Amino acid sequence: MKRTQSRIVTVALTALAPISWGSTYAVTTEFLPADRPLFTGMMRALPAGLALLLVTRRLPRGEWWWKALVLGALNIGAFFPLLFLAAYRLPGGMAAVIGSLGPLWVAGLAALFLGERPSLRTLLTGIAAALGVSLVVLKATGALDAVGVVAGVASSVAMAAGTVFTKRWGRPEGVGPLVLTGWQLTAGGLLIAPVAFLIEGAPPALDGRNLAGYLYLALVNTAVAYWLWFRGIGRLTATSVTFLGPLSPLTAAVLGWAALGQTLTPLQLTGMAIAFGATLAGQYAPRGTKAAKPAEPAKVTTPEPFASPTKNDRKDSMDVMVSSVRR
C-alpha cells in the first residue's frame, strides 16, 4: 500500500512538469518579444542551469562531463531548435502531433537499452495518445514540408533518447536530481546560444514585462519542471514518464480557453478525453515489469563552491509553443 501511494505521489509530481510546459505558449505570447524562439530557448535553459550550479555547487567529474553534454544536447540543446524548426515549417499543430509519438519512440528505445519490452497495451495506448492530441491541436491543412517533418521527428526522437539515457545512466553516487538538472540545462543552453545569435542576431531590448516572463520560464517552467521530470525518470519506468507528455498540449488548450479567450470544440474535447485516458493508462506497468527503485538521496556535506563530487558525494518546449503555433 505504501509503495502504491509513493508511486502515485511520484507520478503526480512528475506530471507537474508537462503541465507547467503547457503554460509556455500563453506566457510567450503575452509577455515575451515576438519571433525570438531560439533566444527564448536559451533564456529558458542557460540562466536556470547556471542558477542551479550556483545553488548546488557541483560540477561533473570524469565520464559525467561527456554524459552531461550528451543528455543536455538531447533533452535541451538539440530538442529546442529542432522543435521550433518543425513548428515554423509545418501546418497547424502537426509538429505537436509528431511530438506526441514520443511514447512510441521511448517504448522502442527502452526495449533496446533498458530491457523494458513494450506490451501490446503500451503500443495501443501510445497510438491513442497521438490520436487524442491530434484531435486537440490539428486544425490547419496544407502540404507537408519535408524538412519540417524530419525536424519534428528528430526532435521527438531526441527527447525520447534523452529520457531513455537519463534512465540508463542514472546519476553519480551522492548526486541528486537537482544537480543533474543543472548540468543538463547549462550544457543545453550553451549549445543553443551560438545558434540563437547566428540566426536571430543580437538579443532584443527587454522591458519589465519581458523580464518577468523570462524569470517565470527559467525558474518555474524550466528549473523546477525539469528537476521534477528527471526525478520522475529516476523513480518510474521511462515509458510511464513519457506518457505524461500529452498533458502539455492539453494544458495549453485549457489555458488558451480560460485565459486567452480561445474556444474548445466538441471534437477537441473528445481528443482531450482520449489523450488524458491514454496518459492514465500509460501509468499502469504491465505484469512482470519491476518498479523503478527511488534514487538514493544525496549525502549531506558542506562543499566548497563548485567542488567536484567525491566518490562518497545528481522532462518544455517550447513543447507547448508547438502545440499552439500558427493557430
Side-chain angles (χ1 to χ4, degrees):
M1 179 64 69
K2 289 184 178 180
R3 178 174 296 182
T4 300
Q5 292 176 343
S6 177
R7 188 176 190 280
I8 292 175
V9 171
T10 299
V11 170
L13 289 175
T14 307
L16 292 177
I19 289 174
S20 170
W21 298 333
S23 67
T24 306
Y25 176 74
V27 172
T28 300
T29 56
E30 297 299 314
F31 289 87
L32 303 184
D35 302 323
R36 302 304 294 264
L38 292 177
F39 177 76
T40 295
M42 182 194 70
M43 290 295 289
R44 282 187 66 188
L46 190 55
L50 293 175
L52 291 181
L53 288 184
L54 288 173
V55 170
T56 60
R57 295 184 291 178
R58 287 289 189 274
L59 290 177
R61 183 186 180 200
E63 64 179 6
W64 271 96
W65 280 103
W66 68 265
K67 285 184 177 181
L69 180 61
V70 170
L71 294 178
L74 291 173
N75 288 315
I76 308 295
F79 175 67
F80 282 177
L82 288 170
L83 188 68
F84 279 112
L85 179 60
Y88 280 102
R89 297 185 70 105
L90 293 176
M94 180 58 69
V97 175
I98 295 176
S100 69
L101 296 175
L104 298 178
W105 294 119
V106 169
L109 292 172
L112 289 175
F113 296 103
L114 302 178
E116 297 179 7
R117 298 184 60 182
S119 65
L120 178 60
R121 185 178 65 182
T122 296
L123 298 178
L124 292 177
T125 303
I127 294 173
L131 173 62
V133 170
S134 68
L135 294 178
V136 175
V137 303
L138 193 57
K139 296 181 179 180
T141 58
L144 295 182
D145 178 84
V147 175
V149 171
V150 171
V153 172
S155 69
S156 182
V157 172
M159 188 66 172
T163 299
V164 169
F165 281 106
T166 299
K167 180 70 177 179
R168 178 180 175 86
W169 289 338
R171 304 189 300 267
E173 181 182 356
V175 171
L178 198 64
V179 176
L180 186 58
T181 302
W183 294 350
Q184 293 192 50
L185 290 176
T186 302
L190 289 174
L191 290 173
I192 295 174
V195 179
F197 291 136
L198 179 64
I199 295 177
E200 298 178 349
L206 303 178
D207 58 22
R209 189 176 183 85
N210 301 150
L211 292 174
Y214 282 126
L215 183 63
Y216 168 80
L217 288 183
L219 295 182
V220 178
N221 190 267
T222 302
V224 175
Y226 272 97
W227 166 62
L228 291 172
W229 186 254
F230 294 138
R231 176 182 178 274
I233 293 175
R235 299 178 177 223
L236 303 168
T237 65
T239 303
S240 175
V241 171
T242 196
F243 268 113
L244 297 173
L247 292 176
S248 179
L250 297 187
T251 302
V254 171
L255 288 177
W257 166 75
L260 303 181
Q262 298 173 354
T263 60
L264 290 175
T265 66
L267 188 62
Q268 285 179 297
L269 293 174
T270 300
M272 292 175 70
I274 294 173
F276 187 70
T279 296
L280 293 178
Q283 303 315 306
Y284 290 93
R287 293 180 180 179
T289 300
K290 296 181 179 179
K293 295 182 179 180
E296 294 182 0
K299 297 181 179 180
V300 179
T301 58
T302 306
E304 294 297 325
F306 294 103
S308 298
T310 65
K311 184 176 181 181
N312 294 322
D313 288 342
R314 114 186 180 39
K315 1 132 275 177
D316 144 36
S317 207
M318 312 300 96
D319 298 13
V320 174
M321 288 188 66
V322 168
S323 68
S324 307
V325 70
R326 298 177 66 176
R327 289 185 175 180

